Amino acid sequence: MASREIKMGGQAVIEGVMMRSEDLWAVAVRSPDGGIKLRRGRWIPVARRLPVFKLPFLRGMVVLIETLVLGIKALNWSADIATTGESGRTESQEKGLWWGLTMAGTVAFSLLLGVAAFFYLPLMLTEWLGVKNPVLFNVVDGIFRVVLFLGYLAVISRWKEIARVFEYHGAEHQVIAAWEDKKELTWDNIHPYSTFHPRCGTSFILILMLVSILVFMFLGRPDNLGERLVRMLFIPLIGGVSYELIRLSGKYARNPVARALIAPGLWLQRITTSTPDQGQVEVAVASLRAALGLDESEEQTPSAPLAAEA
């Protein structure tokens, strides 16, 4: 069996979960026929090929990009499986190249919209208030950014489809927590675990927003479009700093300072995670096993709920 020292990360997708180990990634999705579809692949982290990216702060920048790329790939595939028609062909198979181009365009537009909403719009709102002091300007700008983010999560959590994703998010956390505690991956072992996890991407985003306030303070108050765009260039640095803080908070989770750092992210996970059912936990287990190289199949047929301990 694979070593329990392997670092495991994950992400909820549409009707499924993506898991990533040190050199494998896998996505498990509940298909319309009730089975579990699996997709897996090998990946070589940039830091393994270029050791300079193992250095603090640099490694966070690279991990942020790698996570984004794998996450988008997993999300697109899960959406494809979820739209499998009665013919058994996925939407991408039926629409071919046009579907691929459409999905790529949608992702690119979503990223641009995200940058505009969470970085550019707060700047405009703060300028509209007429804040002149550079320090106060960046504090207000940061508060707007956090409020917009919280509002965004509150709104999308009302959608039925997103609520399902948040349940798979909870399943991902529970399964990883059980794995990290060296438990056998049975329903009885998994379901008592919290749906919160200190290394969650939700916590990372919140910390990133708070760090951005401090970093942008050094840039002063932007007076023109060029100075506003320069701020975008600092996003990788902000991501690197935030990554190091997440690592430290996980390593020293019992330290009072670390607990204080973790607390806002755990609170936010009350919105972004929900208690999953057995079927959703089963999908998360299938994804984790595939990411560890323990399951080489491409599909699992509809099955009974995850086995309980005898």
Side-chain angles (χ1 to χ4, degrees):
M1 179 172 287
S3 168
R4 295 299 176 101
E5 300 304 318
I6 291 175
K7 293 179 182 178
M8 185 67 62
Q11 173 186 316
V13 295
I14 298 172
E15 287 301 320
V17 173
M18 184 268 283
M19 293 283 189
R20 186 184 71 250
S21 62
E22 293 175 350
D23 55 6
L24 293 171
W25 65 276
V27 193
V29 174
R30 182 72 69 181
S31 61
D33 65 6
I36 298 176
K37 297 281 189 179
L38 287 168
R39 182 184 182 187
R40 65 179 59 73
R42 290 195 172 274
W43 72 295
I44 302 176
V46 172
R48 192 178 299 174
R49 290 175 287 180
L50 300 172
V52 67
F53 289 110
K54 292 182 180 180
L55 296 175
F57 304 110
L58 286 180
R59 61 190 174 189
M61 300 179 194
V62 174
V63 168
L64 185 62
I65 295 171
E66 290 177 332
T67 300
L68 182 63
V69 171
L70 281 178
I72 291 174
K73 181 184 295 187
L75 190 60
N76 286 344
W77 186 76
S78 70
D80 207 14
I81 296 301
T83 56
T84 301
E86 295 182 1
S87 65
R89 290 170 58 83
T90 64
E91 195 162 349
S92 64
Q93 290 172 331
E94 292 176 351
K95 296 185 177 179
L97 178 61
W98 177 247
W99 167 259
L101 293 175
T102 301
M103 290 301 297
T106 300
V107 169
F109 176 76
S110 298
L111 291 175
L112 289 174
L113 187 62
V115 171
F118 296 119
F119 282 92
Y120 201 76
L121 181 58
L123 282 173
M124 297 296 97
L125 292 174
T126 307
E127 288 186 353
W128 178 76
L129 289 178
V131 180
K132 300 298 183 183
N133 181 276
V135 174
L136 183 59
F137 182 95
N138 286 289
V139 170
V140 174
D141 170 56
I143 291 173
F144 272 130
R145 191 174 300 113
V146 172
V147 169
L148 284 170
F149 179 59
L150 295 177
Y152 167 76
L153 290 179
V155 169
I156 66 171
S157 67
R158 308 292 293 179
W159 298 350
K160 180 180 178 181
E161 293 80 5
I162 298 299
R164 290 281 297 173
V165 172
F166 287 170
E167 289 169 3
Y168 277 104
H169 192 190
E172 173 222 327
H173 286 178
Q174 288 181 320
V175 170
I176 288 179
W179 167 257
E180 290 175 338
D181 277 353
K182 304 180 181 180
K183 300 285 188 179
E184 291 300 319
L185 298 181
T186 64
W187 170 251
D188 285 345
N189 285 339
I190 295 169
H191 81 84
Y193 279 91
S194 170
T195 59
F196 306 156
H197 198 287
R199 296 199 312 273
C200 173
T202 305
S203 299
F204 174 80
I205 292 173
L206 185 60
I207 290 176
L208 185 146
M209 290 189 172
L210 296 176
V211 169
S212 71
I213 297 175
L214 298 177
V215 172
F216 289 158
M217 281 183 181
F218 290 96
L219 300 180
R221 183 182 185 277
D223 293 321
N224 53 58
L225 179 60
E227 291 180 356
R228 293 169 191 157
L229 293 177
V230 164
R231 289 178 168 233
M232 303 299 105
L233 300 178
F234 281 81
I235 293 177
L237 172 62
I238 294 169
V241 173
S242 303
Y243 177 79
E244 297 304 323
L245 290 175
I246 284 286
R247 281 176 61 95
L248 288 173
S249 64
K251 185 176 181 179
Y252 302 103
R254 297 185 179 182
N255 182 283
V257 176
R259 285 205 301 270
L261 188 65
I262 293 171
L266 294 180
W267 175 85
L268 191 56
Q269 288 176 49
R270 295 179 183 276
I271 300 176
T272 63
T273 68
S274 299
T275 302
D277 58 32
Q278 280 185 262
Q280 291 166 323
V281 168
E282 182 182 24
V283 171
V285 169
S287 180
L288 185 142
R289 288 180 56 83
L292 292 170
L294 301 178
D295 190 344
E296 298 298 328
S297 65
E298 294 298 327
E299 181 174 3
Q300 297 181 6
T301 56
S303 59
L306 201 64
E309 289 186 318

